Each structure stands twice: as structure tokens, then as C-alpha cells.
Amino acid sequence: MPSSIDQTFLDDPLLMAFDTLPANKMLHEAQVALLLGCKTCWLEEQRSRGEPPPYLMLGNRLVRYAVGPLRQWIHHRFV
């Protein structure tokens, strides 16, 4: 994942739509991977290391990402 990002990326319609979602909306792993432009295996590796992006375990296998904490992490890391 890049540590700095081109401004045109921040103007992407997907990110603009993401910013309008309610903070308590839960996203699937595949949705977050698409949003971040990464593979789901990267998200799995991050979780196994206890690294961000922030996620919630709902049961033994169900992983979800709350929009609010995810949004804060993205803005803190890339903006």
C-alpha cells in the first residue's frame, strides 16, 4: 500500500460515495479490497498480524469492516 497518494485518486467516485455512507454501515472484505485497491489476501495478512485496517470479528469466521473506523484510518493514512 502506498504511503502517499495522488490527488486524482481522492476524487474517485467510489471514494466519494464511501464518504457518504453511515459510519455504522458494515462492509464485506471484498468491498474493502475494492475500495483500497488491494487483494483480499492482503487484508487477511493484515488481520493475522493484528495490523490495520480496523475490522470486526462477528463470530468465528465472519469479518466485517465498519465504515466509520475504516474511513478514519483511510483519511489518517492517505490524506
Side-chain angles (χ1 to χ4, degrees), residues 55-72:
Y55 65 93
L56 298 167
M57 290 297 295
L58 306 173
N60 291 336
R61 293 183 163 182
L62 188 61
V63 176
R64 292 292 181 266
Y65 294 82
V67 167
L70 183 60
R71 185 182 300 142
Q72 288 177 338

Side-chain angles (χ1 to χ4, degrees), residues 1-5 42 46 52 72-79:
M1 299 288 298
S3 59
S4 62
I5 200 95
W42 181 81
Q46 291 297 98
Q72 288 177 338
W73 178 77
I74 290 170
H75 283 279
H76 176 74
R77 181 165 168 106
F78 297 112
V79 176

Side-chain angles (χ1 to χ4, degrees), residues 22-49:
N24 63 347
K25 170 85 172 146
M26 303 299 269
L27 299 179
H28 293 258
E29 182 179 58
Q31 293 170 312
V32 175
L34 177 65
L35 178 70
L36 296 178
C38 67
K39 294 184 178 188
T40 57
C41 63
W42 181 81
L43 292 169
E44 292 169 12
E45 290 171 10
Q46 291 297 98
R47 287 194 310 271
S48 72
R49 293 184 195 123

